[in-house]
Amino acid sequence: INEGIRVSELDALRRKVKLGDNRIRIVKASSKNIGGSYDGVLRTGIVVAKYPRLAVLEFSGGTRETVTWLELLLEKKNSKRGAKA
């Protein structure tokens, strides 16, 4: 069953995530496959900055990427359900 996203869930996630948290998982697009779509790669990063609408994660090798709080919440919900992202 699909459930909606509540603003209170996003607010709770923003409060829970702290600078330096190092087990933040997110799926990011990597390379184009034969069908023309992008394969998702699960990456784990460290939170290095927090903003009202997004967070900045640093991955191994020093790469930094921004992720929205919604992306983080959806990944958290998917991992709780055991779904492949």
Side-chain angles (χ1 to χ4, degrees), residues 14 42 51 58 70 77 79:
R14 281 188 205 110
L42 184 64
Y51 298 98
E58 184 172 312
L70 181 59
K77 284 187 170 205
S79 66

Side-chain angles (χ1 to χ4, degrees), residues 2-64:
N2 290 333
E3 37 183 274
I5 302 294
R6 293 185 292 278
V7 174
S8 59
E9 291 176 301
L10 289 170
D11 290 339
L13 181 66
R14 281 188 205 110
R15 285 190 305 272
K16 183 179 177 185
V17 172
K18 304 291 183 205
L19 292 178
D21 283 354
N22 62 356
R23 291 179 46 179
I24 306 296
R25 296 164 38 125
I26 190 73
V27 175
K28 287 296 200 174
S30 79
S31 59
K32 213 175 216 184
N33 66 19
I34 295 171
S37 63
Y38 287 89
D39 293 328
V41 174
L42 184 64
R43 302 180 72 191
T44 303
I46 299 170
V47 178
V48 293
K50 287 175 54 175
Y51 298 98
R53 303 220 184 270
L54 55 90
V56 180
L57 300 181
E58 184 172 312
F59 302 106
S60 60
T63 303
R64 290 184 177 190

